[in-house]
Amino acid sequence: MPARPRTRGTDEGEPPSIEWVLAGRAYVNGRLQPVEIGIDEEGWIRRVARHIDSDRRHDVGEGIVLPSATDLHVHFREPGDPEASEDLASGTLQAAYGGVGTVGEMPNTQPPITDADRLRDKAARVAGRTHVDVLLYAALAPGVRVASLARVAGAFKLYLSPTTGQPEPTRISDASALLASAAETGLAVSVHAEEPAYFHDTSRVGTVEGWNAARPAPAEAYAVSELLSVAPPSLRLHIAHVTRAEVAAQLRRAGQSFETTPHHLLLSDRKGPDARFKVNPPLRSEPERRELLAAFERGEVPCLASDHAPHSLDAKRRPFPEAPSGMPGVETLLPLMLQRVRDGALAFPTLVAAACDRPARWAGLPQGRLAVGHRANLLVVDFRRSRSIGARSLHAPCSWSAFEGFPAIFPREHYRNGEALLLDGEYVGRPRGRVVRPDYAPGNDPTGPG
Ligand code: DOR
Ligand code: ZN
């Protein structure tokens, strides 16, 4: 695991100036107990204690306080077709409602983010329009200027298989030089690891099960093994959307960061011809899904990410082979898993580690724990308030969810840098999201809150 990001406010002798206190219950040292969190005027956690004196207190009673999530994998499609069913504003609003305080926004846009000018243009779209913070990925592909991208990007994304907006994948034989250049910059690399040589003819596939057979699990296992053999040891590597427990075990043995998604944990390929469930890599069989979920619930998967990839229902209704892959999920990522906690299937600290702490650590961001020097990016949840997911009560412009009818626990309150985004489940914030970069990025000022 990479080193913990630099945090603020921990210098000896620096007088804490606590502006307000959030009082509730939280897991501290593995135990749920009453806790008060002192937040300074710049939105950093200055104290965590049983009691903190302050004139401004907000007591959430039985409410449980946790850090907001960092979702390392979203596709908000900006820049892109203005008619597309998503952009940075709508995507980050869903994130705010779902308890995701920072998103990692992918580069497979139109045009793709392959040079520093495009990255700067994208960064300029964040201020004044986004509701949570945004880490911007740059594409790592043959021909890109890695060092120049690294001065602006938050991380890199490498595609080893074709995907939306990225018809030409990078071959594993080209990947090793690219990974070596990325390692020199210090920036992290997330990889879509499927080896197309293992794919079968997808042009006649008509079901979700057929999609699984056509992009089979060995495509993933092979790509991961190859990557592990070519990645320089100093590289902060991360494997996106792992679908199989065997691959998770292999990555764990290698001490490698990786993520899995709620759809690969909770949905299987028994969906017939319904292309809403077509996704890359594919949903796997029911026994394989259960094994992955068991590994996740044992705490053997470091990160949880949504791979939020909204496609319109019109596009999803095309004949199966032409329907695009992907589903929305940033708003339901944490609520679905909080429900697993409520059901007693998942330990709360296991979820917080996978959704909040480790993704932030991988991305080099000082957040994800209720600890002094971390950003006051916080949630309050009430485990008694469970509700069924219904696309109509979500905020996705594409207006559908693969998790329709699933019970879930949505955050009641959400704070970004100590400022309320959600109160009583309703949006009360302002679009103050910022581009964030890791503290180890070249020429970086990690996170100027505000
Ligand atoms: O299903 C997917 N859709 N998988 C990806 O890797 C990309 C995504 C998209 O951008 O639509
Ligand atoms: Zn993706």
Side-chain angles (χ1 to χ4, degrees):
M1 271 289 142
R4 180 159 293 289
R6 207 166 45 226
T7 53
R8 286 226 184 139
T10 49
D11 300 351
E12 283 288 325
E14 202 177 313
S17 57
I18 289 171
E19 170 137 306
W20 69 283
V21 166
L22 180 62
R25 292 186 304 153
Y27 271 90
V28 176
N29 302 327
R31 232 163 36 84
L32 190 59
Q33 47 186 297
V35 165
E36 302 200 349
I37 298 171
I39 298 163
D40 74 16
E41 66 273 21
E42 290 184 346
W44 296 84
I45 299 176
R46 277 300 176 114
R47 241 188 114 193
V48 180
R50 257 294 153 102
H51 177 74
I52 303 172
D53 283 331
S54 172
D55 297 342
R56 247 187 92 201
R57 300 167 59 76
H58 176 48
D59 193 333
V60 296
E62 294 294 291
I64 294 178
V65 182
L66 68 154
S68 62
T70 293
D71 182 351
L72 291 175
H73 194 154
V74 302
H75 300 267
F76 289 163
R77 309 284 187 231
E78 199 173 331
D81 177 358
E83 302 296 306
S85 53
E86 198 73 274
D87 61 20
L88 286 164
S90 63
T92 54
L93 184 65
Q94 293 163 72
Y97 274 108
V100 171
T102 305
V103 291
E105 158 65 6
M106 289 296 171
N108 60 327
T109 45
Q110 296 300 340
I113 306 302
T114 48
D115 67 50
D117 284 344
R118 288 182 183 170
L119 203 47
R120 282 191 203 96
D121 167 75
K122 186 156 178 173
R125 295 161 180 263
V126 168
R129 292 179 58 229
T130 58
H131 304 276
V132 303
D133 293 323
V134 183
L135 177 105
L136 293 173
Y137 286 89
L140 187 64
V144 304
R145 295 176 59 208
V146 176
S148 137
L149 281 167
R151 284 193 283 278
V152 198
F156 287 105
K157 177 69 183 280
L158 171 68
Y159 286 96
L160 295 178
S161 80
T163 192
T164 308
Q166 202 85 4
E168 286 299 320
T170 299
R171 295 142 74 107
I172 193 80
S173 51
D174 293 326
S176 101
L178 287 167
L179 294 173
S181 318
E184 276 171 31
T185 72
L187 280 195
V189 181
S190 172
V191 185
H192 181 130
E194 285 183 286
E195 169 53 60
Y198 280 76
F199 295 171
H200 305 296
D201 178 12
T202 52
S203 64
R204 287 187 197 180
V205 171
T207 62
V208 180
E209 224 169 347
W211 193 246
N212 178 14
R215 292 177 72 126
E220 185 181 2
Y222 177 83
V224 164
S225 296
E226 288 296 298
L227 268 174
L228 291 180
S229 70
V230 298
S234 63
L235 178 68
R236 292 168 84 102
L237 183 67
H238 175 88
I239 312 298
H241 41 48
V242 166
T243 68
R244 295 283 305 274
E246 287 94 315
V247 174
Q250 181 189 8
L251 287 165
R252 216 168 110 78
R253 281 194 298 275
Q256 200 54 72
S257 180
F258 63 98
E259 73 195 26
T260 189
T261 69
H263 49 271
H264 291 111
L265 293 171
L266 301 175
L267 305 170
S268 72
D269 67 355
R270 292 187 195 162
K271 297 289 178 192
D274 188 341
R276 287 179 308 164
F277 297 90
K278 181 181 177 191
V279 59
N280 294 331
L283 300 179
R284 302 302 184 196
S285 71
E286 183 60 18
E288 287 165 337
R289 170 193 84 79
R290 287 206 188 129
E291 274 179 52
L292 186 69
L293 180 61
F296 180 77
E297 292 182 339
R298 286 195 302 269
E300 294 170 7
V301 173
C303 300
L304 181 73
S306 69
D307 195 4
H308 175 89
H311 293 283
S312 70
L313 274 176
D314 277 353
K316 284 291 198 178
R317 286 186 188 125
R318 286 181 206 142
F320 198 95
E322 287 132 53
S325 291
M327 54 177 67
V330 69
E331 190 172 354
T332 50
L333 170 89
L334 195 62
L336 283 164
M337 292 297 149
L338 286 168
Q339 180 71 36
R340 301 287 301 168
V341 172
R342 174 192 153 127
D343 293 346
L346 174 64
F348 191 61
T350 303
L351 175 59
V352 171
C356 314
D357 183 20
R358 290 201 205 93
R361 205 187 309 180
W362 178 79
L365 301 174
Q367 59 199 39
R369 286 196 309 158
L370 303 181
V372 173
H374 277 230
R375 301 210 302 157
N377 289 354
L378 303 168
L379 306 175
V380 177
V381 298
D382 180 346
F383 280 100
R384 293 165 303 190
R385 292 205 208 170
S386 173
R387 67 172 161 92
S388 289
I389 290 176
R392 265 180 306 197
S393 57
L394 296 176
H395 301 84
C398 71
S399 70
W400 63 277
S401 168
F403 300 104
E404 186 80 32
F406 277 59
I409 294 169
F410 287 84
R412 236 172 61 192
E413 299 183 12
H414 184 168
Y415 298 88
R416 173 188 172 276
N417 290 339
E419 201 179 284
L421 288 178
L422 292 185
L423 287 177
D424 210 13
E426 290 305 324
Y427 185 76
V428 295
R430 285 177 289 165
R432 307 236 297 163
R434 298 266 304 251
V435 172
V436 288
R437 302 185 71 219
D439 58 13
Y440 47 78
N444 180 55
D445 163 22
T447 51

